[in-house]
Amino acid sequence: MIFPKDFEAKIGFDQITAKLTSNCSSSLGVKRVGEIRFSSNFIFIRKLLDQANEFKQILQSQEKFPSLHFFDPIESYPIILIEDTFIEEDSLREMVLSLKSVLACKAFFSTTENYPQLSLLSSAIQLQLSVVNQLDATFDDAGKIKDNASSELQRIRKRLKEEEGKVRKLTDQLFRQAIGSGWVPEGASLTIRDGRMVIPVLAEHKRKLKGFIVDESATGQTIYMEPTEVLEANNEIRDLLHAQRREVVKILKELTRLLRYNLEDVKYAFSFLATLDFVKAKAKFALELNACLPKLVDTADLNWMQARHPLLYLTLLQVGKNIVPLDIDLSHQSQFLLVSGPNAGGKSVCLKTVGLIQYMIQCGLLVPLDERSTIGIFDRIFLDIGDQQSMENDLSTYSSHLKNMNHFLANANSKTLVLMDELGAGTDPNFGGGIAEAILASLLERKVWGIATTHYYNLKLFAEKASGIKNGSMQFDTKNLEPLFKLEIGKPGSSFALEIARKIGLPRITIQQAETLIGKDLIGLEALMKSVAEEKLALEKKQREWAGKENQLNQSLKRYEALATELEAKKKEIINKAKIEASSLLKETNREIEKTIRHIQENKAEKKETRKVRAGLTDLAKKIEPEQNSIPVPMEVKLEVGDKVRMIGQEVTGTILSIKGNSVVVQFGIIQSHLKLAQLVRSDLVVPNYEVKNKRVFGVDILSKQATFIPTLDIRGKRAEEVSAMLEEFMDNAILLSQAELKILHGKGEGVLRKVVREQLRRNKSVVSVKDEHVERGGDGITVVVLK
C-alpha cells in the first residue's frame, strides 16, 4: 500500500519513469515502463533486480549482444485471428525482423551461464526457427515479396518486365519524334501519370500527337498524353499489375495463416522483446546513476551506505559537482530516525532520498547505494511532505497533515515505512510539538519504521530518551555558516537560527532582543549543541589527517619490506654463487698442489724443475687474486646545481635543482626525483666496468621499459572496474618515457569504457588534450591522448 495517491509525484518517481521512457528503443518498452508497480513480493522483486543487473553487466562488458529490431504488432493481432485475412507486406516484414531478433537473443543466452535470469526468460520462447525462416525466405532485402515466392508470381513479373520494356522503347521513340517536332516543353522528360507512361506536350500542340489526354499541369500549359500506339500495351500492363496484386495477397494470406497457427508463440516472443527493451532501459539508467544491486532481505531493514538521491545526483553531475552521500542505519532495536538541523540543510532531501530509493528497489530498479548496503522490503510506504492545503476540501495545511497522521495511525504496522517532513509544524509550537510527540509514541508502539524531520526541542528530547528511535542531524559549518549536507546519526542538530540571522544581516539590536526573548537556557542549549558540532568537525578533520599519515606509513612499510626481501634474496644469491666459485677454486688449487708435489718427487727436487713448478704456482696465485676492476668505484667529481646528470646504470639525463648535504633534487622531464649524491654521475663522464655490471643497481630499468613500451593500450572486452588500474600504469610509464602521443582502443558499443577513460584522463594533469581518432582510422572507438 502506498499513501498518498500522488506519492510518485511527491518523491520524484515520475521523473524516474520519464528517464526510463527516454531510454527505451520502442513503444513496446515504453508500455512496460507505464506498467511499473510497487511490489512487496520478495521473489518477484529479486527477479526484476537480477534481470536489470545482468543486462547492466552485458553493457559494461561490451559483449557482442545481438542487434535488436523492435515492432509493436498489437494492431496486427486482430487481423491474424480472422480467417482468410492478411497482413500487409510492410507490417509482416517488420514482424519477421523482430522475431529474428528474438531468436538471436535466445541463441545468445543459451550459450552462456553468466546471465541466469535472462536465460530463464528466453528459455520460455517456444517459437520455432523453421517458422521464422519460412517467413523470412519470402522477402527480399528491400522487404518485398520475392519473385520466386510462387511460380505464378514469377511468371506475372516476367511478363510485366517484358511489357514495360516494350512500352518504354516505343514511348521513347515517339518522345524523340515529338521533341524533333518542337511539341515538348524545354527540359521535359517522360513521366508516369495514373500508372501509365505519358509524353508531356505543349497545350497548343496536343492535336498533333495522336493519343489520349491523361492529365495536365497546374497551369494548363502542359498536357500529358498517352500515345495511341502504346494504349494496348499499357492496358496489358495494368492487367498484369492487378494479377500481381492478387498473387501477392494470396501469398500474404498463406504467411498470415502460418502466424495464426503459431500465434501464442508469436505473442510470447514479442512479450519477451518488450521485456528486454524495458530491462535494457533500466540497465542504461543504472549506469547513468552508478547504481548497483545491494544485499536484499525479505524483512523490514534499512542499513544504507553512500546513499545518493538519484535526481539530485544527475543534476549535479551535469554541472560538474559531486553529491554528498548519506549513511543511514535503522535496525529492529532502533527503527525510527528523527532528523533535525538548519533550514536548507538537507533534511527534506534526506527524507526524499529514503522514500525514492526504497520505492525504486521495490519497483525492480537498481539503486544508487554502496553494494555493501542492506535493503529490506516494506509492505507499505506512507508519506507526509509539503504544503497540502486544500481549498476544495476546506482544509488548512495543518489539518491536512493531521488527516495524514490519522491514516498512518490507523494503517501502519511493523512492515510500514513512514516518512514525515516537518513533523508538528503549521500550528502553535507548544500544541504542535505535543501532538507530534504523541504521534511518534503511538507509531513506536506499533514498531513502525520511519524518518521524520523537525525543529522542535521536545521531539529531540523524546528521541534521546525513548527506545526504538534515535536522533540524527544535518551537519553545519559554524565558521562559514554553510550547510554541509552530511547526516550524523546519534545526536540532535541545532537550527542555527541566530547564526543564520547574523549572516543574512539582521540588525544587531534585533538579534539581541531575540536572544533576550528566547531566554538564556535555550540559547545555552543552542551554544552547547553548536560547540559539540564544532568539536565533531575538528575531530573528523584530525581523523582524516591521521588516516592519511597512517596510509603513508603503511605504504612506506610495504616498500621497506619489499626492499628488505629483495636484498635478502640478492644476498643469498651472492653468497651461494661465492660458495660455488670458492669450492671450484679450492678444488683447482688442491689439484695443482698435488700435481706440484708429485712432480718434485718424480724429479728429485732438481733446481731447474723446482723453479718451473714455482712459476706455475705463481701464475695460479695471479689467477685467483680479485681483479681491481671488479669493485665499482664511482669517479670523484663534485656535482653542482645546474649540472646535467644521470643515475648510475641509466641513460635518462636530468638537471640538478638543489643540493642539501647528500640529498639531491633532480628534474627528469616533468618528474622531480629525490636522490642521493652517490647515485648520480655527470652525463659527460663514463664509469668503466661499473655501469656494465650494474644495469639495475638503482631505480627503474629505463632501457628495458623503452624497449618494451607500446604507445597503444587495448582495453576492448575489459570491465569498467578493470580499466582504471590498467590506464593508470600505462599513463605512468608513458610520462616516465616522455611520450608525446598515445592511443587507447576501447571500442564503440554503449560508450561505457570511453566514458570511464575520458573521465580518468581529464583528471591527469600531464594530459594536454583528448580527442577521437580520425573517422577512417577508428573514430570514437579510439581515444587519442596528447601529453605535455
Side-chain angles (χ1 to χ4, degrees), residues 34 108 124 144 156 163 180 365 433 440 451 479 605:
F108 172 85
K144 300 299 180 183
I156 292 171
E163 292 298 326
L365 301 178
L440 276 180
I451 296 179
K479 291 184 178 179

Side-chain angles (χ1 to χ4, degrees), residues 85-181:
T85 56
F86 63 92
I87 303 173
E88 289 293 348
E89 254 178 311
D90 293 342
S91 297
L92 187 57
R93 177 59 175 166
E94 291 292 326
M95 287 185 69
V96 172
L97 292 175
S98 295
L99 292 174
K100 288 178 67 177
S101 294
V102 170
L103 294 184
C105 291
K106 181 180 180 180
F108 172 85
F109 288 122
S110 66
T111 59
T112 180
E113 297 180 355
N114 297 331
Y115 314 110
Q117 282 296 334
L118 292 176
S119 297
L120 182 64
L121 189 67
S122 66
S123 66
I125 298 171
Q126 299 298 320
L127 185 64
Q128 297 300 309
L129 178 61
S130 58
V131 174
V132 178
N133 286 342
Q134 185 177 345
L135 292 167
D136 187 46
T138 311
F139 293 91
D140 60 19
D141 294 337
K144 300 299 180 183
I145 299 294
K146 289 182 178 178
D147 292 352
N148 61 358
S150 73
S151 57
E152 178 64 13
L153 183 63
Q154 194 168 26
R155 184 191 68 78
I156 292 171
R157 287 183 174 175
K158 183 179 179 182
R159 283 278 316 280
L160 192 59
K161 288 178 182 178
E162 292 173 353
E163 292 298 326
E164 286 176 343
K166 291 179 184 178
V167 169
R168 167 65 71 175
K169 185 176 180 180
L170 182 56
T171 307
D172 280 343
Q173 182 180 350
L174 295 172
F175 182 62
R176 285 194 297 270
Q177 291 176 2
I179 291 175
S181 301

Side-chain angles (χ1 to χ4, degrees), residues 302 328 330-331 334-339 351 354 378 382 413-414 416-420 440 443-444 447-453 468-470:
L302 204 156
I328 306 172
L330 301 182
S331 65
S334 186
Q335 76 274 15
F336 219 101
L337 178 65
L338 184 71
V339 182
L351 194 80
V354 173
F378 293 93
F382 296 159
N413 57 30
S414 60
T416 302
L417 178 65
V418 171
L419 306 170
M420 300 178 289
L440 276 180
L443 292 174
L444 290 176
K447 303 295 182 182
V448 175
W449 295 63
I451 296 179
T453 66
I469 185 171
K470 52 188 174 183

